[in-house]
Structures are given as C-alpha cells and as structure tokens.
Amino acid sequence: MSANADSGGAAATDAQVPELLIRRVFDAPRSLVFAAWTESEHLKHWEGAPVGFTVTTEESDIRPGGRFRVCMRAPDGVDHWLQGVYTEVVPPERLAFTHTWLRRDGTPGVETLVTITFVARGSKTELTLRQTGFDSVASHAGHTHGWNSTFDRLAGYLTHLDTEPVQS
C-alpha cells in the first residue's frame, strides 16, 4: 500500500484509499473463534475492542438485519460511539456488518463495510478481515491499528481459555 502524502484526514476518493485487509491465525478451533465474536459470554471477556479500551454495549442483535450500538471508552476517558447493522451471519464461516462512528453530536459519520471470514486450518483458525468504504487514508490507518490491537486482545483471550476455564 502506498500512502497518500497528505494523510491528515482530508477526504480522499475510493481509488486513493485501499480496502483494509488483515489476516491472522488464532490457535483455536474455528467454532470457538466464531463464538468469541458472536456470544456474549465470550465477548464480555475480550470486548471486541483495542487493548486499553472498555466497551459498553447498548444494543447487540447478532443476526442478519440486527443492529448494534456500543460505546468504546479510550484509555484517556474519551467515549467513541459506534453503530452498525449485521448484513450476514453464517456460523461459523462469516460475519459482515456496517460500521459507523458517531460524531460528537450523535449523527452518523462515514459508513464502512466489514467482512470477517473464519477458515479452519487444522486445529487453528485463519481470520480474514476486509473493511471498505474509508473516506481518508488517516481513517484507514487508524482502523488498521485498532483492528490489529483488537486481534491481539482476542488472541490473549483465546490463549487464556486454553490455560484456565473462564467463569461466566
């Protein structure tokens, strides 16, 4: 990926901002990695958020057409509201949803589309995330960092499951 020299958040065309593509392999079976994304007893332990963030879920209906709305509180105490709609839920293979940050006044910002696939690789799972629709190179970069940190948190949770039973 070549970065636009002016990545200070200025609007960019789709041709300038590539889709975000991240692949990670988790040392856990596909059914468990999918469950970690879709079942509250797992989500409450890793929160689907970058390291250091806490999440408050206002709405979560994980089914096609179901909505979600969460508040991600950053380590500095700033709240970041996020909402979306699930467009696909195909256990244990695929999740797709819209992803929209809310502005400070509560109005929706740019809507992106996130698609996550889960592929069994023996006893491990290859997760591929694609996110499209960014309006700036800076937004793409921020999401790249955020998702990678989120996956680090998920990997830690899955490792914890291997070593100790998780109490609900």
Side-chain angles (χ1 to χ4, degrees):
M1 172 181 102
S2 65
N4 182 339
D6 180 21
S7 62
T13 66
D14 287 341
Q16 294 172 308
V17 183
E19 75 176 8
L20 174 57
L21 176 64
I22 301 172
R23 280 195 179 92
R24 292 282 287 265
V25 176
F26 294 95
D27 192 10
R30 179 170 77 159
S31 60
L32 178 58
V33 178
F34 187 86
W37 280 86
T38 58
E39 296 177 10
S40 60
E41 63 265 22
H42 291 295
L43 282 166
K44 70 182 179 183
H45 294 285
W46 72 279
E47 301 186 289
V51 173
F53 282 72
T54 58
V55 174
T56 302
T57 302
E58 185 174 276
E59 181 178 8
S60 178
D61 184 8
I62 303 173
R63 63 176 178 81
R67 304 182 63 77
F68 68 90
R69 181 178 162 96
V70 299
C71 178
M72 294 176 54
R73 178 162 286 167
D76 63 5
V78 175
D79 289 342
H80 302 275
W81 284 90
L82 170 67
Q83 67 184 21
V85 175
Y86 287 92
T87 58
E88 287 183 83
V89 179
V90 183
E93 301 171 8
R94 183 179 173 94
L95 287 174
F97 50 90
T98 61
H99 181 285
T100 308
W101 292 107
L102 301 177
R103 297 180 183 100
R104 291 189 199 277
D105 66 3
T107 60
V110 173
E111 180 178 276
T112 62
L113 178 64
V114 176
T115 303
I116 303 171
T117 57
F118 305 83
V119 176
R121 300 283 186 224
S123 63
K124 298 181 181 192
T125 303
E126 180 181 272
L127 181 150
T128 302
L129 177 137
R130 293 181 187 276
Q131 188 171 9
T132 60
F134 294 105
D135 68 341
S136 71
V137 172
S139 179
H140 181 282
H143 283 85
T144 300
H145 173 75
W147 283 118
N148 277 306
S149 181
T150 296
F151 294 156
D152 291 345
R153 193 170 186 176
L154 174 59
Y157 170 67
L158 293 169
T159 298
H160 175 75
L161 284 179
D162 280 346
T163 59
E164 294 179 24
V166 175
Q167 302 295 318
S168 293

